[in-house]
Amino acid sequence: VITLLFGEEGKTEEGSKTFPWGTAIKEHRINPTAIEALHQALDCVLESDFRAVVVTGEGRFFCNGLDLQWIDANPSRGEELQLMTEKLLARLLVFPLPTIAGVNGHMCAAGAMLGLAFDYRIMIDNKNWFFIPALDLGLVYSPGMTSLMKAKVAPHVQRDMILFSKRYQPQDCLNQKIVDHICEKHRNLVEMCCTVIESELFLPNFHRNGRFKGDLYRTTLQKIKMNTFKETYELLASDNVESMGFSEGKWSADGKVSFNDVSKPTPKL
């Protein structure tokens, strides 16, 4: 089990609740620090004999998307962060073990894509949201990111989610098959993830409890995933990514919502 946030209140070793550039740690935003840490954790998984991997978080956020405040503080490195993010998504998409996102809270923007890169998603039912707000931020998701979303949700959901930034709560996500299971808020999310792994992947008698043990299983599963998601993987893993348009995007100083020019009159429709 990999946890995205260590410490209930989300503090740095120095006791701060924010990164130096102002982002709240508890939001689990995608920045170079988070990407490096997650890659290191996945490396540790592969160095051991684990048979599946669960990634979850603590608090109200699973992942609140790209760290827009980090981009504001490092304007020349926006595309670099995008490239790093897409390569992380590519790795998760074809990871050589079953992957389960234990969605403990809000899963938004690139954080929603992070969740979609997993094989399974189990979302806690606690008034949390899933949505892709590119339209309202003035950002255009890259071909790789768009391909990932199209590969993981139904066509009618693609329209509402990608084009028009519809917001979904847990039951909506289950109804639209964005997530595989709902975890009632009184239950332990990680325990439920492990139960699903045992019941749906490990226990059928004809597998004789040996499934996903050994290098052959890992190699075979990864190759199957790479063929299944061939176009998406190649787009995400490429060194040439199409910029999302960070220099034209608009968001508030806290990096959370769109920044609208209130001086302009609201058009009548």
Side-chain angles (χ1 to χ4, degrees):
V1 177
I2 298 171
T3 305
L4 295 177
L5 176 65
F6 298 96
E8 184 176 349
E9 297 182 358
K11 296 181 180 180
T12 65
E13 293 180 358
E14 294 75 23
S16 173
K17 293 185 179 182
T18 64
F19 288 106
W21 51 89
T23 299
I25 296 171
K26 66 181 181 181
E27 292 186 23
H28 307 156
R29 293 262 185 176
I30 300 173
N31 54 48
T33 301
I35 292 172
E36 181 181 359
L38 190 47
H39 275 303
Q40 290 177 353
L42 293 173
D43 290 342
C44 289
V45 169
L46 295 179
E47 291 169 1
S48 302
D49 58 354
F50 295 114
R51 297 167 64 193
V53 57
V54 175
V55 175
T56 188
E58 294 178 351
R60 297 188 299 112
F61 296 91
F62 175 72
C63 180
N64 207 20
L66 287 174
D67 192 336
L68 299 179
Q69 285 179 279
W70 185 91
I71 293 173
D72 280 341
N74 301 272
S76 65
R77 299 181 64 190
E79 279 69 32
E80 177 187 346
L81 177 59
Q82 179 186 339
L83 179 63
M84 294 171 65
T85 301
E86 295 202 24
K87 288 187 178 296
L88 174 63
L89 296 176
R91 184 181 189 187
L92 286 169
L93 184 66
V94 299
F95 198 71
L97 289 172
T99 58
I100 299 88
V103 183
N104 58 288
H106 303 306
M107 179 169 56
C108 313
M113 281 177 265
L114 180 69
L116 290 174
F118 287 77
D119 299 321
Y120 290 83
R121 285 158 295 284
I122 301 174
M123 177 181 268
I124 198 161
D125 190 3
N126 194 25
K127 298 182 180 179
N128 36 304
W129 293 99
F130 169 94
F131 62 98
I132 309 289
L135 177 66
D136 300 310
L137 295 173
L139 298 176
V140 179
Y141 288 122
S142 71
M145 292 177 169
T146 305
S147 181
L148 172 63
M149 292 185 280
K150 291 173 64 178
K152 292 298 184 99
V153 301
H156 70 282
V157 178
Q158 295 172 24
R159 177 199 64 203
D160 295 339
M161 181 185 80
I162 303 173
L163 300 184
F164 302 117
S165 301
K166 181 175 179 178
R167 298 186 176 215
Y168 301 83
Q169 288 200 300
Q171 192 59 51
D172 303 321
C173 288
L174 183 64
N175 293 342
Q176 300 298 340
K177 302 188 184 303
I178 297 170
V179 302
D180 300 280
H181 299 278
I182 292 292
C183 176
E184 298 299 328
K185 59 183 178 181
H186 66 274
R187 294 189 61 182
N188 183 288
L189 177 60
V190 172
E191 289 182 1
M192 182 169 179
C193 289
C194 293
T195 298
V196 170
I197 293 169
E198 289 287 342
S199 62
E200 297 190 11
L201 295 174
F202 291 170
L203 290 184
N205 290 333
F206 58 86
H207 297 311
R208 299 181 182 179
N209 295 324
R211 210 175 196 197
F212 306 115
K213 290 182 178 179
D215 291 340
L216 182 58
Y217 256 120
R218 292 185 178 192
T219 302
T220 303
L221 178 62
Q222 185 167 54
K223 288 181 177 179
I224 291 173
K225 288 184 179 183
M226 292 183 75
N227 282 344
T228 302
F229 303 112
K230 179 178 175 59
E231 179 182 356
T232 301
Y233 174 76
E234 290 177 349
L235 287 169
L236 289 171
S238 172
D239 289 328
N240 299 310
V241 298
E242 181 179 305
S243 172
M244 295 169 57
F246 295 112
S247 60
E248 294 83 22
K250 295 184 179 181
W251 47 84
S252 56
D254 59 7
K256 293 181 180 179
V257 296
S258 61
F259 182 84
N260 296 311
D261 186 353
V262 295
S263 66
K264 295 180 181 179
T266 302
K268 295 181 179 180
L269 302 179

